[in-house]
Amino acid sequence: MDFKLTDDQVAISDLATSLFREHGSDEHARSLQDAGQAIDRALWQKLVDTGLLAVALPESCGGSGMGMLELGLVLQQQGRFLAAAPMSTHALVTLAVATQGSSVLRDRVMPSLLSGERPAALATELDVTTALIAEPGELGWILEGQLSNILLEPWHEFLLAPAQTPQGTRLFLLDLKHVAPKRTTGKLTDMQTVCELYFTRAIVSVDSELGTSALEWLKPRMACCISAYQLGVLEEALHRAAAYVSERQQFGRPLGSFQALAVRAADAYIQVELLRSAQLQLAWRIDQGLPTEAAARVSKHQASQAGHMVGHTAQHFHGGVGADLQYPIHRFYLKSQAFSHIGGGAEAQLARIGRALADNSFAEYIHE
């Protein structure tokens, strides 16, 4: 089998690398942080203009007609440069609306999603029972309850989130201009804004609900995006760590020549390559229409496991300076830890894999 990327995939990856390098230097990141800006607006517009924001979207919906493999390549490069744009969530929400939403919903919101004019956020804790209840009413759905651990910046105007309905858990696209829940906000260690949202008899239109299979459709794609971004973060963190210990001298020798560091670096490299394999397999299975539950669990577990191990290794290789909040490697450490816990950490994924194996839920995947 030929596992090489196609010419189109290489071109997309190169375009993403060029764009994110321009907007992802350490100096640029520091300037955004000093200005208190969580989003690089100029980068966001370029993602729209180049079509990278819609790379996985069907051509019939205004996209490039590619798939999760290509979107993963773009997100991997974004992770390498920690470019400040919520691309993965917006791209997934746009794809969900285009493929799982009603024609009424598509006609109403797709133009503003495609243009990037109204950015969309996504509730990432999809495996947790939601405390938001949706009841049918005369004017639409009535929302009551709470959403927890929502990564939501002030500039986001849409939120795709699950709610409990009489028919089970469904996904709803909430227009935050019209549905204004009470918010309690905080900051994660990587400076993302995290919110608790409280709804009191908020009314949303009937067409805000996505299809009955949308939630299960979304889960593997979210795992794919998280894993791709984490792969880029860890690749760059390990690259920087290797460069540092190759140059830093101790006892007249480069630090990297000491066996203890070499073994630990090899372990970290193996973790990164395991994540690459898991992420690529998941993306390929999604694009081929194959069962994805097991691959999604494995990929998310490896993203969490590798994030913990490689993030700490890269920071420790830099010694005391690695703990400096203003030193570049610390940004990669914080981001790797934040992405390790999105959707549940490594232990949570192992527990779900164990339960699925005990229930024989992966039989179709194992024996195909």
Side-chain angles (χ1 to χ4, degrees):
M1 296 180 67
D2 186 359
F3 292 100
K4 291 187 297 185
L5 299 178
T6 66
D7 291 342
D8 286 344
Q9 290 168 340
V10 171
I12 288 171
S13 181
D14 288 345
L15 174 60
T17 301
S18 175
L19 182 58
F20 291 131
R21 178 181 287 117
E22 179 185 352
H23 290 267
S25 68
D26 295 333
E27 295 76 16
H28 186 64
R30 176 70 64 84
S31 67
L32 288 175
Q33 182 177 341
D34 291 344
Q37 298 178 12
I39 307 298
D40 186 337
R41 304 264 179 164
L43 170 61
W44 183 254
Q45 189 57 51
K46 288 184 179 180
L47 287 171
V48 174
D49 295 341
T50 58
L52 289 178
L53 204 59
V55 69
L57 203 64
E59 291 182 357
S60 60
C61 300
S64 300
M66 295 189 175
M68 294 304 297
L69 264 170
E70 290 77 15
L71 178 57
L73 291 172
V74 176
L75 293 174
Q76 182 183 342
Q77 296 308 313
Q78 183 184 12
R80 284 184 56 211
F81 296 98
L82 298 184
M87 178 177 173
S88 63
T89 54
H90 186 89
L92 280 179
V93 172
T94 305
L95 186 58
V97 171
T99 60
Q100 307 295 310
S102 67
S103 59
V104 175
L105 181 63
R106 292 197 299 271
D107 291 344
R108 179 160 59 87
V109 304
M110 281 299 291
S112 56
L113 288 173
L114 283 171
S115 68
E117 178 186 354
R118 304 189 66 192
L122 173 64
T124 56
E125 304 299 325
L126 299 179
D127 284 317
V128 178
T129 302
T130 180
L132 181 62
I133 308 299
E135 295 285 351
E138 292 183 3
L139 301 177
W141 290 97
I142 303 172
L143 303 181
E144 185 84 30
Q146 177 180 343
L147 287 172
S148 300
N149 302 320
I150 304 298
L151 299 178
L152 187 68
E153 300 295 338
W155 84 320
H156 281 123
E157 296 195 17
F158 289 112
L159 172 64
L160 185 63
Q164 291 286 352
T165 75
Q167 293 76 37
T169 305
R170 298 287 186 267
L171 286 176
F172 289 82
L173 184 69
L174 308 181
D175 187 335
L176 299 177
K177 274 191 172 182
H178 302 294
V179 179
K182 180 183 177 182
R183 302 187 188 191
T184 300
T185 63
K187 291 288 186 180
L188 297 183
T189 53
D190 65 344
M191 300 311 294
Q192 293 185 87
T193 302
V194 61
C195 300
E196 300 281 318
L197 303 179
Y198 306 92
F199 297 81
T200 304
R201 298 194 63 78
I203 298 176
V204 298
S205 62
V206 173
D207 59 78
S208 296
E209 179 195 359
L210 272 63
T212 57
S213 62
L215 182 60
E216 295 307 314
W217 174 95
L218 178 61
K219 287 180 180 180
R221 287 162 176 80
M222 190 178 74
C224 185
C225 289
I226 291 172
S227 301
Y229 188 94
Q230 182 78 297
L231 175 60
V233 172
L234 300 182
E235 273 188 319
E236 182 63 20
L238 189 57
H239 173 77
R240 291 184 178 219
Y244 184 83
V245 297
S246 297
E247 298 172 359
R248 179 82 175 184
Q249 297 281 325
Q250 188 71 36
F251 305 114
R253 296 167 53 191
L255 279 173
S257 66
F258 290 92
Q259 187 177 29
L261 270 71
V263 169
R264 189 170 179 185
D267 288 341
Y269 176 80
I270 290 170
Q271 289 293 320
V272 171
E273 293 308 306
L274 286 173
L275 175 56
R276 189 190 315 280
S277 296
Q279 192 277 328
L280 286 173
Q281 184 193 87
L282 173 57
W284 177 79
R285 295 185 72 85
I286 292 172
D287 290 343
Q288 296 300 313
L290 296 171
T292 57
E293 184 180 358
R297 296 293 185 200
V298 170
S299 184
K300 182 60 185 70
H301 168 266
Q302 187 58 30
S304 298
Q305 171 112 333
H308 176 77
M309 178 181 176
V310 181
H312 280 86
T313 295
Q315 186 191 42
H316 290 171
F317 274 21
H318 283 78
V321 73
D324 184 345
L325 299 181
Q326 302 301 317
Y327 196 74
I329 198 63
H330 199 73
R331 293 191 299 119
F332 288 87
Y333 167 74
L334 294 177
K335 187 64 73 173
S336 69
Q337 302 315 296
F339 267 72
S340 291
H341 292 95
I342 293 178
E347 292 77 10
Q349 298 304 322
L350 280 180
R352 289 165 184 146
I353 290 172
R355 287 194 295 269
L357 289 172
D359 296 339
N360 207 28
S361 299
F362 293 160
E364 182 180 2
Y365 172 81
I366 293 171
H367 300 299
E368 65 183 27

